[in-house]
């Protein structure tokens, strides 16, 4: 007679089986999330698995082996790519959709360069490849490093993976410059994508949503042998650092890349007018379906590199290029419900919960309805069939209702007048200047609203702000719910608090000794942070990444910014100083002043500065004789337009101000300069003419 198993043993056997099953499931989801860039379950669902797994281990410590997932750091696989700092930032492109916008784009360039409206202008037109951009660095003709775009300033080191892409040369042909960073798109062909998905499915492995995701997932493999098995391709279309230019036109550059051994897109042509560009756009669009790879538009670039240089950049996109996107893809589906999300500034955003539907190869289950007015305008009710649209990476949106399909019981949606989270009144403010009601309804709960607090914290730790490893949205939600972190400074007090707490973080489900240590180290590492990131993290209204950079560049230290912002009452000189920073203006100046006028913001800053030291900004511009100087342009310029001169100065790291003050370092005066020139003389500020400016700027770019 076999003895029945003791209850405890039986429980252990069951626990072991469940632990193994969960382990596999978690690993599969980790793979989808971290390696394939294509999660299939929500964070919350993942958390449930993870918690159960950890609870089993806690109950049965014998389950903890070397292979246990809890031995990996935190909830994420420990392995990581190294970071690569781009010597020349990787840019993005502005977008246009309509023909008229293409005409505007070309007209703007003419104006900027001071050309006659009908003067011919050579521009290239080429397909916009739907892959992921990659920067390949060659030294003495040899591939030494490959990096993803990342945030444009810092990418991931994918050198080992890129070496497995057959089309990318390891050694350049011909007479290539000593240092050459070739940039272009890594992509997967549609047929290869379909075959890969079929193979994955057969092997019981996860499949990819579209060729772009599969290219990204394949390149970002920690194990290069996996990348090697994936059919990736490359088109070269741009460059970063380069020791000598092999040509003086875009077309010439790309041809040179071809001579060095890179594939270039055969549909690239030279055009001479907006009409020409549009003609080629139609031509490429008509070939789109037949191409072996996905494209999502046509990119136009000014051909002459000298003109590209003169045109420069707006924010992070070149003024000399734009992407003419193909129309957005649409689909219809059923609106199941409308839920309200409360943002960092209290804005109530209605989100449509949809019957999942595939739009242009991606499954969409949520779409934005923007605001209350939009719901009214669309006359959308719950249960309706709606038309949704997805353009590129933007959040899908509901664009209309298919009224013929409306069911009898379709339910009108009543927009809440109270915050669904903190129940404070939610109001639409009246703009005192225009007397108009804001389309956005905002929760008035401010500091008492947990939703706002959590969103602010999420913003604070987000990728372009403090970017703290191991402290993502999920952890913020958890820590906030548990009362561990309620404001930014608490993050830096976490280790201290944890040391004093009765239940320690390391004893929590999903944590362990190592992950807690790593988290504290990551927090500690961010106690010194570039000023621009610090300013961006504060979440001041209208101060996104670009404006944070402008403020950081202008003020250089947080103390200087704070002092001016505190003094920036309406009509004050301090307000004018912020307003005058190139690219900012009245609205931003007011928002900055308002932020610093709030006592609780000031208190929070004091608390934060007890832990954090803002450092000089992450500069992308190398030192130039005018870097950090404040310049005023006045009078007419003859060799370039005023806009162009301003852009040139900013590119060299200078600040451009609109009026002369004691803070001005240099005045560039052309003929006809009046009061500003007089003021400069009065204040004893150095004044030069256009010729001298060009020499100075030229010396900086040499
Ligand atoms: S040019 C300054 N050309 O589009 C030049 N970009 O939306 C910057 N892309 O990050 C890029 N095809 O990944 C350029 N023919 C093409 C492109 C292209 C695809 C991508 C690239 C870039 C993104 C910008």
């Amino acid at each position: 007679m076999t003895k029945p198993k003791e209850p405890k043993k039986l429980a252990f056997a069951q626990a072991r089986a469940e632990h193994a099953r969960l382990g596999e499931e978690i690993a599969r989801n980790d793979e989808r999330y971290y390696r394939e860039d294509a999660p299939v379950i929500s964070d919350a669902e993942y958390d449930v698995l993870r918690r159960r797994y950890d609870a089993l281990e806690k109950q049965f410590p014998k389950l903890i082996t070397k292979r246990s997932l809890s031995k990996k750091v935190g909830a994420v696989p420990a392995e990581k790519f190294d970071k690569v700092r781009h010597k020349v930032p990787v840019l993005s492109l502005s977008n246009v959709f309509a023909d008229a916008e293409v005409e505007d784009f070309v007209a703007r360039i003419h104006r900027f360069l001071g050309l006659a409206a009908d003067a011919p202008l050579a521009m290239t037109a080429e397909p916009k490849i739907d892959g992921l951009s990659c920067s390949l660095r060659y030294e003495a003709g040899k591939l030494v490093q490959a990096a993803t775009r990342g945030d444009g300033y810092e990418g991931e080191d994918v050198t080992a993976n890129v070496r497995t892409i057959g089309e990318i040369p390891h050694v350049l042909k011909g007479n290539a410059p000593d240092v050459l960073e070739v940039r272009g798109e890594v992509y997967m062909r549609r047929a290869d994508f379909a075959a890969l998905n079929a193979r994955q499915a057969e092997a019981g492995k996860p499949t990819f949503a579209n060729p772009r995701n599969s290219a990204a997932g394949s390149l970002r493999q920690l194990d290069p042998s996996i990348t090697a098995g994936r059919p990736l391709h490359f088109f070269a279309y741009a460059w970063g650092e380069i020791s000598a230019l092999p040509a003086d036109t875009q077309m010439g550059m790309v041809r040179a890349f071809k001579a060095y051994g890179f594939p270039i897109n055969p549909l690239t042509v030279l055009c001479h007018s907006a009409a020409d560009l549009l003609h080629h756009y139609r031509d490429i669009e008509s070939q789109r379906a037949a191409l072996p790879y996905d494209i999502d538009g046509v990119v136009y670039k000014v051909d002459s590199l000298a003109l590209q240089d003169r045109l420069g950049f707006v924010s992070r996109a070149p003024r000399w290029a734009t992407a003419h996107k193909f129309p957005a893809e649409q689909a219809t589906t059923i609106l199941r419900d409308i839920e309200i999300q409360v943002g960092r500034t209290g804005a109530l955003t209605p989100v449509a919960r949809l019957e999942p539907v595939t739009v242009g190869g991606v499954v969409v289950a949520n779409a934005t309805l923007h605001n209350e007015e939009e719901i009214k305008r669309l006359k959308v009710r719950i249960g309706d069939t709606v038309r949704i649209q997805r353009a590129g990476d933007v959040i899908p949106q509901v664009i209309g209702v298919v009224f013929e399909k409306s069911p009898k019981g379709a339910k009108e949606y009543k927009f809440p007048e109270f915050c669904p989270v903190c129940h404070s009144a939610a109001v639409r403010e009246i703009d005192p200047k225009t007397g108009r009601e804001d389309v956005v309804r905002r929760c008035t709960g401010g500091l008492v609203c947990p939703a706002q607090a959590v969103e602010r914290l999420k913003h604070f730790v987000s990728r372009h702000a403090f970017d703290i490893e191991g402290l993502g949205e999920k952890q913020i939600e958890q820590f906030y719910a548990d009362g561990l972190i309620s404001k930014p400074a608490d993050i830096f007090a976490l280790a201290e608090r944890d040391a004093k707490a009765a239940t320690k973080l390391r004893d929590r489900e999903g944590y362990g000794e190592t992950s807690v240590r790593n988290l504290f180290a990551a927090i500690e590492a961010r106690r010194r942070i570039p000023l621009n990131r610090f300013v961006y993290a504060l979440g001041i209204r209208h101060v996104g990444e670009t404006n944070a950079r402008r403020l950081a560049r202008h003020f250089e230290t947080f103390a200087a910014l704070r002092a001016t912002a505190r003094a920036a009452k309406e009509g004050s000189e301090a307000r004018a100083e912020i307003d005058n920073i190139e690219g900012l203006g009245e609205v931003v100046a007011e928002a900055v002043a308002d932020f610093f006028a709030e006592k609780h913001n000031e208190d929070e800053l004091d608390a934060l500065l007890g832990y954090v030291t803002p450092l000089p900004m992450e500069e992308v511009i190398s030192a130039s004789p005018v870097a950090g100087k404040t310049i005023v342009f006045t009078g007419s310029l003859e060799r370039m337009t005023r806009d162009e001169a301003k852009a040139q100065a900013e590119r060299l790291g200078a600040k451009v101000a609109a009026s002369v003050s004691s803070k001005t370092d240099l005045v560039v005066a052309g003929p006809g300069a009046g009061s500003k020139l007089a003021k400069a003389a009065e204040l004893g500020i150095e004044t030069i003419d256009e010729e001298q400016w060009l020499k100075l700027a030229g010396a900086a770019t040499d």
Side-chain angles (χ1 to χ4, degrees):
M1 200 176 89
T2 52
K3 229 168 86 186
K5 277 187 185 162
E6 289 161 36
K8 203 165 171 212
K9 284 227 177 93
L10 189 67
F12 178 72
Q14 274 173 347
R16 190 172 49 195
E18 189 182 352
H19 180 261
R21 186 179 56 72
L22 281 168
E24 270 173 36
E25 196 170 345
I26 292 168
R28 209 161 46 235
N29 283 298
D30 278 345
E31 175 98 1
R32 298 219 46 143
Y33 187 92
Y34 293 105
R35 298 197 176 210
E36 269 119 35
D37 298 318
V40 284
I41 61 171
S42 69
D43 286 359
E45 287 163 326
Y46 179 88
D47 282 349
V48 172
L49 299 178
R50 198 67 215 213
R51 279 203 205 120
R52 176 77 188 142
Y53 183 87
D54 293 334
L56 288 171
E57 287 194 351
K58 204 163 173 196
Q59 200 184 342
F60 299 103
K62 270 201 218 150
L63 292 174
I64 307 173
T65 64
K66 255 193 248 149
R67 283 175 42 224
S68 164
L69 293 174
S70 52
K71 288 284 153 202
K72 294 190 177 182
V73 181
V76 308
E79 326 101 293
K80 278 261 149 60
F81 291 101
D82 285 337
K83 292 269 161 81
V84 175
R85 198 143 193 93
H86 296 297
K87 291 238 170 55
V88 176
V90 183
L91 301 162
S92 53
L93 287 173
S94 58
N95 284 338
V96 296
F97 284 91
D99 289 7
E101 291 176 285
V102 175
E103 282 154 13
D104 282 352
F105 164 72
V106 175
R108 217 165 32 242
I109 292 176
H110 277 83
R111 269 201 309 278
F112 190 95
L113 296 172
L115 298 175
D118 55 356
L121 177 71
M123 301 189 74
T124 58
E126 69 199 66
K128 183 168 190 299
I129 316 296
D130 206 1
L132 73 153
S133 60
C134 201
S135 188
L136 314 171
R137 187 177 173 90
Y138 292 81
E139 287 174 9
K142 292 208 180 68
L143 176 63
V144 293
Q145 190 168 60
T148 61
R149 175 179 195 277
D151 62 5
Y153 299 105
E154 202 174 68
E156 287 176 327
D157 187 336
V158 288
T159 314
N161 298 358
V162 160
R163 284 192 204 281
T164 70
I165 302 177
E167 271 181 7
I168 293 181
H170 290 198
V171 177
L172 299 180
K173 287 196 279 194
N175 197 12
D178 198 40
V179 174
L180 169 64
E181 278 176 21
V182 169
R183 291 178 177 170
E185 205 81 353
V186 171
Y187 67 96
M188 192 179 281
R189 292 187 176 175
R190 274 200 290 268
D192 290 334
F193 155 73
L196 170 65
N197 259 0
R199 277 205 307 278
Q200 292 276 107
E202 215 168 282
K205 291 189 187 155
T207 53
F208 296 100
N210 53 41
R212 180 166 52 89
N213 280 356
S214 66
S218 300
L219 188 66
R220 297 182 68 255
Q221 285 289 339
L222 289 157
D223 176 359
S225 70
I226 299 183
T227 312
R230 303 272 171 89
L232 293 174
H233 295 265
F234 183 77
F235 279 129
Y237 54 65
W239 58 97
E241 195 184 357
I242 188 161
S243 53
L245 289 166
D248 57 7
T249 59
Q250 177 73 32
M251 205 59 156
M253 289 297 289
V254 173
R255 287 204 183 111
F257 294 160
K258 183 171 185 196
Y260 303 151
F262 293 96
I264 62 169
N265 194 288
L267 299 177
T268 311
V269 296
L270 203 56
C271 299
H272 292 91
S273 65
D276 236 11
L277 293 176
L278 289 171
H279 179 80
H280 194 57
Y281 172 86
R282 306 258 175 271
D283 187 34
I284 291 182
E285 194 180 25
S286 71
Q287 298 184 52
R288 184 181 184 189
L291 291 177
Y293 45 85
D294 276 356
I295 62 173
D296 58 348
V298 178
V299 181
Y300 306 139
K301 298 172 187 167
V302 168
D303 194 41
S304 150
L305 301 193
L307 294 185
Q308 286 190 0
D309 225 34
R310 283 178 58 190
L311 285 155
F313 307 87
V314 195
S315 178
R316 286 160 62 178
R319 212 179 254 112
W320 45 264
T322 199
H324 188 177
K325 301 290 274 293
F326 293 131
E329 310 205 51
Q330 300 187 349
T332 58
T333 185
I334 296 168
L335 175 68
R336 291 282 175 224
D337 201 0
I338 295 177
E339 280 172 23
I340 299 288
Q341 272 174 4
V342 184
R344 169 162 69 82
T345 59
L348 266 49
T349 304
V351 179
R353 304 285 178 216
L354 307 163
E355 191 61 40
V357 62
T358 307
V359 194
V362 171
V363 178
V364 172
N366 303 309
T368 180
L369 277 160
H370 301 293
N371 53 52
E372 193 172 351
E373 284 309 304
E374 184 71 359
I375 296 178
K376 281 192 205 147
R377 190 184 70 81
L378 295 170
K379 297 197 177 69
V380 62
R381 292 169 307 170
I382 293 162
D384 275 344
T385 293
V386 290
R387 180 163 289 284
I388 61 167
Q389 165 170 304
R390 195 190 130 251
D393 293 334
V394 282
I395 306 168
Q397 47 181 342
V398 176
I399 55 165
V401 177
V402 187
F403 289 107
E404 307 85 77
K405 291 197 179 163
S406 287
K408 274 226 181 71
K411 229 174 62 203
E412 196 108 7
Y413 177 75
K414 183 159 172 356
F415 205 90
E417 291 179 356
F418 293 92
C419 170
V421 180
C422 74
H423 311 293
S424 303
V427 300
R428 292 173 59 175
E429 287 165 16
I430 310 278
D431 183 328
K433 291 198 184 101
T434 62
R436 266 204 238 128
E437 197 184 28
D438 192 350
V439 290
V440 178
R441 193 176 279 279
R442 285 178 206 277
C443 160
T444 55
L447 289 184
V448 308
C449 179
Q452 290 187 45
V454 169
E455 292 307 314
R456 273 198 301 270
L457 284 164
K458 285 182 187 169
H459 173 77
F460 188 86
V461 299
S462 64
R463 183 152 157 232
H464 299 293
F466 269 70
D467 192 21
I468 298 172
E469 192 89 54
L471 193 57
E473 300 205 341
K474 216 162 57 185
Q475 290 80 7
I476 288 286
E477 275 168 17
Q478 254 177 36
F479 292 169
Y480 185 86
D482 300 345
L484 266 174
I485 293 178
S486 57
K487 48 189 191 344
D490 298 343
I491 294 171
F492 299 94
L494 192 62
E496 223 173 284
R497 288 184 179 188
D498 191 53
K500 289 192 199 132
T503 6
K504 309 248 181 277
L505 233 95
R506 61 161 190 262
D507 300 326
R508 285 182 171 230
E509 292 177 6
Y511 285 83
E513 206 66 68
T514 326
S515 61
V516 171
R517 203 171 42 239
N518 287 351
L519 174 62
F520 291 165
I523 293 173
E524 198 56 29
R526 280 313 208 175
R527 287 182 49 174
R528 293 162 65 75
I529 184 153
L531 180 58
N532 53 310
R533 279 182 178 264
F534 183 82
V535 173
Y536 172 67
L538 298 179
I540 303 170
R541 249 172 115 179
H542 304 297
V543 180
E545 247 189 298
T546 309
N547 285 346
R549 279 181 180 276
R550 290 178 172 139
L551 287 165
R553 184 175 302 139
H554 181 87
F555 287 106
E556 289 171 14
T557 65
F558 188 67
L561 164 61
R562 194 178 190 183
T564 306
R566 274 174 172 169
K569 302 214 173 46
E570 208 175 341
S572 66
E573 213 174 286
R575 174 77 76 99
E577 178 177 350
I578 304 175
D579 184 346
N580 262 333
I581 298 172
E582 188 66 25
L584 294 190
E586 220 179 297
V587 176
V588 185
E590 186 181 340
V592 171
D594 285 354
F595 181 89
F596 286 88
E598 292 278 347
K599 168 128 188 0
H600 62 83
N601 287 336
E602 281 278 337
D603 291 347
E604 175 52 32
L605 275 171
D606 287 335
L608 195 55
L609 290 168
Y611 296 102
V612 176
T613 312
L615 304 172
M617 166 160 127
E618 294 170 324
E619 265 304 354
V620 286
I621 304 143
S622 56
S624 80
V626 294
K629 299 242 166 95
T630 301
I631 305 181
V632 172
F633 289 92
T634 177
S636 57
L637 301 174
E638 281 159 357
R639 299 264 303 273
M640 55 186 160
T641 61
R642 186 86 72 86
D643 280 344
E644 187 180 350
K646 272 189 186 173
Q648 187 179 37
E650 282 179 340
R651 207 157 58 232
L652 299 171
K655 305 164 209 163
V656 178
S659 58
V660 176
S661 74
S662 58
K663 297 202 172 136
T664 311
D665 295 301
L666 181 68
V667 171
V668 182
S675 62
K676 290 184 194 172
L677 187 56
K679 181 129 192 228
E682 188 188 310
L683 294 170
I685 295 165
E686 186 188 355
T687 304
I688 59 173
D689 64 12
E690 186 179 0
E691 261 334 289
Q692 288 167 305
W693 164 252
L694 284 172
K695 264 199 213 125
L696 196 61
T701 43
D702 279 348

